Amino acid sequence: MEKVVEFILNRFPSVRDRIDVHMMEVINGAAVALVLKVLGAGLTFLFNLVLARTLGADGAGHYFLALTVTTIATVFGRMGLDNTLLRFTAANAAVNDWVAVKGAYVKGMKLAFIASSLSTVAVFVFAPVLADKVFQKPELSIPMRWMSVAVVPMTFVMLHAEGLKGLKRIRDSFIVFGVGVPAISLTVLLLFGARYGVNGAIWAYASGAIFTSLLGVILWNIATPKLRKVSGVFRTNDLFKSSMPLFWIASLSMMINWTATFALGVWGTQEDVGIFSMASRTAMLTSLILTSVNSISAPKFAELYKKKEIAALGATARNTAKLMTIIASPLLLLFLVAPQWVMGMFGEEFPKGGILLSILAIGQFVNVVTGSVGYLLIMSGNEKDMRNTVVVVSGISVLLNVILVKEFGLIGAAIATATCFSMQNIIATYIVWRKLKILTTPLWYKA
């Protein structure tokens, strides 16, 4: 992949000459990540397509409500340790402090296992209450209990994926989280989805989580032969000092992402949930490049901040934002020009979600244009500022969804979600400028 990137840049010498060594590392890593992310996104899209055509909008609504509950439980299971592991692995590996890398890994995994196990038990025990009292859909109890099986393995999938990013093993990271889960899930869904309905789809997702978590352990051990010769040492207090703000960031970000689904589950129909969920996941393709670039830019941010190379940090952040905006623009245009056609691929019930796709895609595009501001704050030790931002936006999200979903249904859910996505990154952009004197958005920046 590096040779391909080098060949392309050699065709444009004026562009090549403006790229420094840090940006070149980001481009090479992002190119690998983008290929795997596109593969993973394609597999996820196929999974959703098969799910929608097999279960219909109503069945898909059941699946996504169960997935929502499990996603919340997984956030509690991770305790913010995924991004903490990324930060400390990247920073300490950059200075060859393998004792600290192993210490953070071992303690992080132990804490995550305890927390995710407790989350699994909580979902299993309270599934009937959630199904009956919260969603007024008693039939959701059994699917939620089956889905709880995925909490522990998905927690380990995410922690190992972020740890591998910290080691700059981008390919392995995306194989674990981006490709492994949807590839296995799709295979199992094709085998059992039609026969077992919603439960079959949930078994598919849980199978993907279990087998991929084992793959994550294997790839981590292959990537870290140096850790076998050292005893890990890391202060638990330092781990919690970083992970607790990140836990709240993850929890409240999840609230922003899933509040609309919850609101539609309470005040809408199962069909509404299914249509909105498909539109939301399709709109996330707009920010596909953002997650690909973040995979390599996040450890690079941690490394540059650790070495106090702030000028290089700012240049890298701006250049990645510019790159992401250029690449994401054509997909946004497709979602604005032909949204009904895109949604129609999921089945005859889904084209009505075309306007939702357009609204949500705009919100995702704002995230792309503003750049990796969240990771800039987290990797520079400003987790609390990012936490405070998400606290404010999550409160606004709940308020907007209660008002807009009750009044306008699906359209209200899309407007509330897109507004909060945009607001979060705009506020974070301002904080990055105030704290680090870095302007990530390249549109108004002059060197």
Side-chain angles (χ1 to χ4, degrees):
M1 183 59 69
E2 290 185 10
K3 292 182 179 179
V4 174
V5 172
E6 184 179 353
F7 173 79
I8 294 172
L9 290 176
N10 284 337
R11 306 289 293 181
F12 302 94
S14 60
V15 176
R16 181 197 60 205
D17 294 340
R18 292 200 298 268
I19 298 176
D20 60 20
V21 62
H22 301 298
M23 190 59 195
M24 181 59 72
E25 184 178 342
V26 170
I27 291 174
N28 283 326
V32 174
L34 183 59
V35 170
L36 291 172
K37 188 67 177 178
V38 168
L39 175 60
L43 290 169
T44 301
F45 183 82
L46 286 174
F47 178 87
N48 291 334
L49 187 64
V50 174
L51 180 76
R53 289 188 173 274
T54 302
L55 304 181
D58 190 69
H62 276 82
Y63 171 85
F64 283 117
L65 283 176
L67 180 61
T68 300
V69 173
T70 299
T71 302
I72 294 170
T74 304
V75 170
F76 281 93
R78 297 200 311 268
M79 294 176 60
L81 289 163
D82 47 346
N83 282 321
T84 295
L85 190 60
L86 166 59
R87 175 190 170 191
F88 287 127
T89 299
N92 290 302
V95 294
N96 294 313
D97 188 353
W98 298 107
V99 171
V101 171
K102 184 170 184 178
Y105 171 80
V106 171
K107 286 190 177 180
M109 291 299 167
K110 288 180 179 178
L111 291 169
F113 177 74
I114 295 170
S116 59
S117 297
L118 292 174
S119 295
T120 299
V121 172
V123 172
F124 189 89
V125 170
F126 292 105
V129 177
L130 291 170
D132 188 33
K133 304 299 182 183
V134 177
F135 296 114
Q136 289 88 49
K137 299 173 179 68
E139 66 275 14
L140 271 175
S141 177
I142 298 301
M144 279 195 283
R145 281 184 161 174
W146 276 117
M147 189 69 89
S148 69
V149 174
V151 174
V152 174
M154 275 307 299
T155 297
F156 276 82
V157 165
M158 293 179 183
L159 262 66
H160 281 99
E162 295 305 302
L164 289 165
K165 282 182 190 177
L167 296 172
K168 299 182 182 178
R169 302 289 288 245
I170 305 305
R171 181 198 63 189
D172 293 347
S173 174
F174 273 91
I175 287 174
V176 171
F177 186 61
V179 176
V181 175
I184 297 171
S185 299
L186 176 60
T187 302
V188 178
L189 179 65
L190 289 170
L191 293 174
F192 299 107
R195 184 182 303 175
Y196 296 103
V198 175
N199 286 338
I202 291 172
W203 296 340
Y205 178 79
S207 298
I210 292 168
F211 286 106
T212 308
S213 66
L214 297 175
L215 176 62
V217 174
I218 293 170
L219 291 176
W220 173 266
N221 287 326
I222 292 173
T224 55
K226 296 179 181 179
L227 300 190
R228 299 167 197 165
K229 303 176 182 179
V230 300
S231 297
V233 177
F234 201 87
R235 292 178 58 194
T236 304
N237 185 54
D238 289 342
L239 206 63
F240 278 121
K241 186 178 179 181
S242 176
S243 71
M244 283 301 97
L246 293 174
F247 164 71
W248 288 112
I249 290 171
S251 300
L252 295 171
S253 294
M254 174 271 304
M255 181 185 295
I256 295 168
N257 291 333
W258 292 94
T259 298
T261 303
F262 258 91
L264 288 170
V266 174
W267 292 300
T269 65
Q270 292 295 111
E271 181 178 343
D272 289 340
V273 174
I275 292 172
F276 179 83
S277 297
M278 288 301 174
S280 178
R281 279 157 179 74
T282 305
M284 288 175 67
L285 294 174
T286 306
S287 59
L288 181 70
I289 182 62
L290 177 63
T291 54
S292 301
V293 171
N294 279 345
S295 64
I296 184 62
S297 64
K300 174 57 68 174
F301 292 161
E303 175 187 334
L304 292 174
Y305 187 79
K306 178 87 170 179
K307 295 178 178 178
K308 301 188 185 303
E309 298 180 22
I310 304 302
L313 180 62
T316 303
R318 280 188 296 276
N319 287 331
T320 55
K322 185 185 298 183
L323 174 67
M324 292 186 293
T325 301
I326 292 171
I327 296 176
S329 295
L331 197 56
L332 173 68
L333 185 62
L334 173 65
F335 291 162
L336 293 178
V337 173
Q340 283 82 12
W341 175 80
V342 174
M343 290 296 293
M345 289 189 287
F346 294 105
E348 61 182 14
E349 301 166 285
F350 292 90
K352 67 177 74 172
I355 184 63
L356 310 181
L357 176 59
S358 296
I359 295 170
L360 292 166
I362 292 171
Q364 293 287 350
F365 190 72
V366 172
N367 289 351
V368 174
V369 172
T370 51
S372 305
V373 284
Y375 274 114
L376 259 176
L377 290 173
I378 292 169
M379 295 301 127
S380 61
N382 292 293
E383 301 98 329
K384 291 183 179 179
D385 292 291
M386 190 62 199
R387 177 201 61 194
N388 295 340
T389 299
V390 180
V391 167
V392 172
V393 176
S394 63
I396 295 172
S397 175
V398 172
L399 181 63
L400 285 179
N401 274 285
V402 169
I403 295 173
L404 296 180
V405 171
K406 290 177 72 173
E407 184 69 25
F408 302 106
L410 283 168
I411 297 293
I415 292 173
T417 303
T419 299
C420 292
F421 280 163
S422 304
M423 186 182 300
Q424 178 174 312
N425 267 35
I426 291 171
I427 294 173
T429 300
Y430 168 73
I431 296 174
V432 166
W433 168 250
R434 183 168 59 85
K435 288 278 187 175
L436 303 174
K437 300 304 178 188
I438 293 174
L439 182 61
T440 57
T441 305
L443 301 179
W444 302 282
Y445 180 83
K446 292 183 179 180

